[in-house]
Amino acid sequence: MDDADALFKALADPTRRALLDALSERDGQTLFELCARMATAHGLTSSRQAISQHLDVLETAGLVTRRREGRYTFHDLDTAPLAPLRERWHHPDERTPR
Amino acid sequence: MDDADALFKALADPTRRALLDALSERDGQTLFELCARMATAHGLTSSRQAISQHLDVLETAGLVTRRREGRYTFHDLDTAPLAPLRERWHHPDERTPR
DNA sequence: TTGACAGGCAAGTGCTTACTTGCCTATTGT
DNA sequence: ACAATAGGCAAGTAAGCACTTGCCTGTCAA
């Protein structure tokens, strides 16, 4: 699975996109913080394990990095893999609609 | 399924992304043209029906429009649904890495 | 008119994936 | 020390999805 495939597969799930939303508001959230935030702010009722597995996928895609400190694991957003996505299929000058 | 979900699901498959690539090079291709292009330029060995179903998904996501003329169905790319994708999760001014 | 061409429709199949369940490890506060 | 906290690991399940198979419709050229 190449990088692009991992990236787009990661973005395909609404829960994972909500996680990126949550992390874009504030970096360094723990798994439990993200679980609470999903339940409240995003109205999702996902279990801890489900969220953890989603974070695994996001980490594989390079969108999330983890750093462990003591018994806490903090999650940070990395938007770098999204950069090539903006270039692709985006040539408004080349195709003027009407 | 909301719009964003349809969009990201559509982008999740590599064959569908290749179809968007092919259509971004030239609009107005027929199903058989796209089949041939997938086989040659993109090295994919997908059947006609498979490609057709992929185009259904892309059409649902609003990324491809179809126009029928006689016995031909021409396919056009529409990048408009991709626009909100550029804004989301990308605020480089708000998060300066390092 | 008849056959070839371009495409549509729908059911079935097998793999992927999101989620659960159950248990385990490590760290911290009292 | 011990219980609570924070999280990891792995197998099982059920739904989704990509693809095939088979057949049908509409269009055009000879």
Side-chain angles (χ1 to χ4, degrees):
Chain A
M1 179 157 75
D2 56 39
D3 286 357
D5 212 37
L7 174 66
F8 285 106
K9 289 250 166 68
L11 294 177
D13 188 273
T15 302
R16 285 196 287 269
R17 293 197 299 275
L19 284 167
L20 294 180
D21 288 337
L23 286 175
S24 78
E25 291 180 11
R26 183 165 57 87
D27 262 343
Q29 296 188 66
T30 68
L31 175 58
F32 276 37
E33 279 179 307
L34 289 168
C35 285
R37 198 175 194 82
M38 289 301 103
T40 61
H42 297 269
L44 299 175
T45 60
S46 301
S47 69
R48 175 181 64 87
Q49 289 84 346
I51 302 265
S52 178
Q53 286 166 5
H54 282 306
L55 289 168
D56 287 340
V57 177
L58 291 172
E59 190 182 28
T60 299
L63 289 166
V64 164
T65 57
R66 284 174 158 136
R67 52 191 162 90
R68 185 126 200 208
E69 292 179 15
R71 63 173 160 177
Y72 299 103
T73 299
F74 301 105
H75 300 79
D76 298 313
L77 179 65
D78 185 3
T79 57
L82 294 172
L85 203 153
R86 286 180 309 177
E87 310 298 330
R88 201 169 176 182
W89 309 308
H90 264 289
H91 307 283
D93 40 52
E94 288 184 21
R95 53 188 65 264
T96 48
R98 193 112 340 253
Chain B
M1 179 156 75
D2 58 33
D3 287 355
D5 212 37
L7 174 66
F8 285 106
K9 288 248 166 69
L11 294 177
D13 188 272
T15 301
R16 286 196 286 269
R17 294 196 299 274
L19 284 168
L20 294 180
D21 288 336
L23 286 175
S24 78
E25 292 181 12
R26 182 166 58 87
D27 263 343
Q29 296 187 65
T30 68
L31 176 58
F32 276 36
E33 280 178 307
L34 289 168
C35 285
R37 196 173 195 82
M38 288 301 103
T40 61
H42 296 271
L44 297 176
T45 60
S46 300
S47 71
R48 175 181 64 87
Q49 288 84 348
I51 302 267
S52 177
Q53 285 168 6
H54 281 307
L55 288 168
D56 287 340
V57 177
L58 291 171
E59 190 182 27
T60 299
L63 289 167
V64 164
T65 57
R66 284 174 159 136
R67 52 192 163 91
R68 186 125 198 210
E69 293 181 14
R71 64 173 159 175
Y72 299 103
T73 298
F74 301 105
H75 299 80
D76 298 313
L77 179 66
D78 184 4
T79 58
L82 295 171
L85 206 152
R86 281 183 298 184
E87 312 297 330
R88 202 167 176 182
W89 306 309
H90 218 280
H91 307 284
D93 39 55
E94 288 184 22
R95 57 186 66 266
T96 47
R98 192 109 345 242

Short mmCIF file of all heavy atoms in Angstrom, two decimals, chain A residues 69-90:
data_model
loop_
_atom_site.label_atom_id
_atom_site.label_comp_id
_atom_site.label_asym_id
_atom_site.label_seq_id
_atom_site.Cartn_x
_atom_site.Cartn_y
_atom_site.Cartn_z
N GLU A 69 4.55 9.80 27.30
CA GLU A 69 5.17 10.38 28.48
C GLU A 69 4.49 9.79 29.69
O GLU A 69 3.32 10.06 29.95
CB GLU A 69 5.03 11.91 28.48
CG GLU A 69 5.83 12.60 27.38
CD GLU A 69 5.64 14.12 27.40
OE1 GLU A 69 5.15 14.63 28.42
OE2 GLU A 69 5.99 14.78 26.40
N GLY A 70 5.27 8.98 30.44
CA GLY A 70 4.69 8.32 31.59
C GLY A 70 3.57 7.40 31.18
O GLY A 70 3.73 6.59 30.27
N ARG A 71 2.43 7.57 31.78
CA ARG A 71 1.32 6.70 31.41
C ARG A 71 0.39 7.37 30.41
O ARG A 71 -0.69 6.88 30.13
CB ARG A 71 0.55 6.26 32.65
CG ARG A 71 -0.12 7.37 33.41
CD ARG A 71 -1.00 6.81 34.53
NE ARG A 71 -1.26 7.83 35.54
CZ ARG A 71 -2.04 7.63 36.60
NH1 ARG A 71 -2.59 6.44 36.78
NH2 ARG A 71 -2.24 8.58 37.47
N TYR A 72 0.81 8.51 29.90
CA TYR A 72 -0.01 9.22 28.91
C TYR A 72 0.60 9.09 27.51
O TYR A 72 1.81 9.08 27.36
CB TYR A 72 -0.13 10.70 29.27
CG TYR A 72 -0.79 10.94 30.61
CD1 TYR A 72 -0.03 11.29 31.73
CD2 TYR A 72 -2.16 10.81 30.75
CE1 TYR A 72 -0.63 11.50 32.95
CE2 TYR A 72 -2.77 11.03 31.97
CZ TYR A 72 -2.01 11.36 33.08
OH TYR A 72 -2.60 11.58 34.29
N THR A 73 -0.25 8.98 26.53
CA THR A 73 0.18 9.04 25.13
C THR A 73 -0.52 10.22 24.49
O THR A 73 -1.75 10.25 24.40
CB THR A 73 -0.18 7.74 24.39
OG1 THR A 73 0.50 6.65 25.01
CG2 THR A 73 0.24 7.83 22.93
N PHE A 74 0.28 11.18 24.06
CA PHE A 74 -0.28 12.39 23.46
C PHE A 74 -0.28 12.26 21.95
O PHE A 74 0.64 11.68 21.36
CB PHE A 74 0.53 13.62 23.90
CG PHE A 74 0.55 13.81 25.38
CD1 PHE A 74 1.69 13.51 26.13
CD2 PHE A 74 -0.58 14.27 26.05
CE1 PHE A 74 1.70 13.68 27.50
CE2 PHE A 74 -0.57 14.45 27.43
CZ PHE A 74 0.57 14.14 28.16
N HIS A 75 -1.31 12.81 21.36
CA HIS A 75 -1.46 12.73 19.91
C HIS A 75 -1.37 14.11 19.28
O HIS A 75 -2.00 15.06 19.75
CB HIS A 75 -2.81 12.09 19.56
CG HIS A 75 -2.98 10.71 20.11
ND1 HIS A 75 -3.31 10.46 21.41
CD2 HIS A 75 -2.84 9.49 19.52
CE1 HIS A 75 -3.38 9.15 21.61
NE2 HIS A 75 -3.10 8.54 20.48
N ASP A 76 -0.58 14.18 18.21
CA ASP A 76 -0.41 15.44 17.49
C ASP A 76 -0.80 15.27 16.03
O ASP A 76 -0.58 14.22 15.44
CB ASP A 76 1.06 15.91 17.59
CG ASP A 76 1.48 16.17 19.03
OD1 ASP A 76 0.71 16.83 19.75
OD2 ASP A 76 2.56 15.70 19.43
N LEU A 77 -1.36 16.32 15.49
CA LEU A 77 -1.76 16.32 14.09
C LEU A 77 -0.58 16.71 13.21
O LEU A 77 0.20 17.60 13.56
CB LEU A 77 -2.92 17.30 13.88
CG LEU A 77 -3.46 17.47 12.47
CD1 LEU A 77 -4.11 16.19 11.99
CD2 LEU A 77 -4.46 18.62 12.43
N ASP A 78 -0.43 16.04 12.09
CA ASP A 78 0.57 16.41 11.09
C ASP A 78 -0.13 16.51 9.73
O ASP A 78 -0.53 15.51 9.15
CB ASP A 78 1.69 15.38 11.04
CG ASP A 78 2.81 15.81 10.10
OD1 ASP A 78 2.72 16.92 9.56
OD2 ASP A 78 3.77 15.03 9.91
N THR A 79 -0.24 17.74 9.26
CA THR A 79 -0.99 17.95 8.02
C THR A 79 -0.11 17.82 6.77
O THR A 79 -0.61 17.99 5.66
CB THR A 79 -1.66 19.34 8.02
OG1 THR A 79 -0.65 20.33 8.19
CG2 THR A 79 -2.67 19.44 9.13
N ALA A 80 1.16 17.53 6.98
CA ALA A 80 2.09 17.47 5.84
C ALA A 80 1.63 16.51 4.75
O ALA A 80 1.70 16.86 3.56
CB ALA A 80 3.49 17.09 6.33
N PRO A 81 1.15 15.29 5.10
CA PRO A 81 0.73 14.37 4.03
C PRO A 81 -0.42 14.90 3.19
O PRO A 81 -0.67 14.36 2.10
CB PRO A 81 0.31 13.11 4.80
CG PRO A 81 1.01 13.19 6.11
CD PRO A 81 1.08 14.65 6.43
N LEU A 82 -1.11 15.92 3.67
CA LEU A 82 -2.26 16.44 2.93
C LEU A 82 -1.83 17.39 1.81
O LEU A 82 -2.63 17.71 0.93
CB LEU A 82 -3.21 17.18 3.87
CG LEU A 82 -3.91 16.34 4.94
CD1 LEU A 82 -4.66 17.23 5.90
CD2 LEU A 82 -4.87 15.36 4.27
N ALA A 83 -0.58 17.83 1.85
CA ALA A 83 -0.13 18.84 0.89
C ALA A 83 -0.32 18.42 -0.57
O ALA A 83 -0.93 19.16 -1.35
CB ALA A 83 1.32 19.20 1.16
N PRO A 84 0.16 17.21 -0.96
CA PRO A 84 0.00 16.84 -2.38
C PRO A 84 -1.45 16.71 -2.80
O PRO A 84 -1.77 16.74 -3.98
CB PRO A 84 0.73 15.49 -2.47
CG PRO A 84 0.82 14.99 -1.08
CD PRO A 84 0.90 16.19 -0.21
N LEU A 85 -2.33 16.55 -1.81
CA LEU A 85 -3.75 16.39 -2.11
C LEU A 85 -4.34 17.67 -2.70
O LEU A 85 -5.29 17.63 -3.47
CB LEU A 85 -4.47 16.03 -0.81
CG LEU A 85 -5.79 15.29 -0.87
CD1 LEU A 85 -5.97 14.48 0.39
CD2 LEU A 85 -6.94 16.23 -1.06
N ARG A 86 -3.78 18.80 -2.31
CA ARG A 86 -4.33 20.06 -2.81
C ARG A 86 -3.94 20.32 -4.25
O ARG A 86 -4.65 20.96 -5.00
CB ARG A 86 -3.85 21.22 -1.93
CG ARG A 86 -4.55 21.25 -0.59
CD ARG A 86 -4.04 22.39 0.23
NE ARG A 86 -2.56 22.36 0.27
CZ ARG A 86 -1.83 23.27 0.87
NH1 ARG A 86 -2.41 24.28 1.45
NH2 ARG A 86 -0.52 23.18 0.87
N GLU A 87 -2.76 19.80 -4.62
CA GLU A 87 -2.31 20.02 -5.99
C GLU A 87 -3.10 19.14 -6.97
O GLU A 87 -3.42 19.55 -8.08
CB GLU A 87 -0.81 19.68 -6.09
CG GLU A 87 0.05 20.35 -5.03
CD GLU A 87 -0.01 21.87 -5.12
OE1 GLU A 87 -0.20 22.37 -6.24
OE2 GLU A 87 0.10 22.55 -4.08
N ARG A 88 -3.39 17.92 -6.53
CA ARG A 88 -3.97 16.93 -7.45
C ARG A 88 -5.40 17.30 -7.84
O ARG A 88 -6.22 17.63 -6.98
CB ARG A 88 -3.95 15.57 -6.75
CG ARG A 88 -4.05 14.40 -7.71
CD ARG A 88 -3.75 13.11 -6.98
NE ARG A 88 -3.92 11.94 -7.85
CZ ARG A 88 -3.75 10.69 -7.44
NH1 ARG A 88 -3.40 10.46 -6.18
NH2 ARG A 88 -3.91 9.68 -8.26
N TRP A 89 -5.68 17.20 -9.13
CA TRP A 89 -7.01 17.46 -9.70
C TRP A 89 -7.45 18.90 -9.51
O TRP A 89 -8.61 19.21 -9.73
CB TRP A 89 -8.07 16.54 -9.09
CG TRP A 89 -7.70 15.11 -9.14
CD1 TRP A 89 -7.30 14.41 -10.23
CD2 TRP A 89 -7.70 14.18 -8.06
NE1 TRP A 89 -7.04 13.11 -9.89
CE2 TRP A 89 -7.28 12.94 -8.56
CE3 TRP A 89 -8.01 14.28 -6.71
CZ2 TRP A 89 -7.16 11.82 -7.77
CZ3 TRP A 89 -7.89 13.18 -5.92
CH2 TRP A 89 -7.47 11.96 -6.45
N HIS A 90 -6.54 19.74 -9.09
CA HIS A 90 -6.92 21.12 -8.80
C HIS A 90 -6.24 22.05 -9.78
O HIS A 90 -5.21 22.62 -9.49
CB HIS A 90 -6.50 21.51 -7.38
CG HIS A 90 -7.60 21.36 -6.40
ND1 HIS A 90 -8.68 22.18 -6.38
CD2 HIS A 90 -7.78 20.46 -5.43
CE1 HIS A 90 -9.49 21.79 -5.41
NE2 HIS A 90 -8.97 20.74 -4.82
#
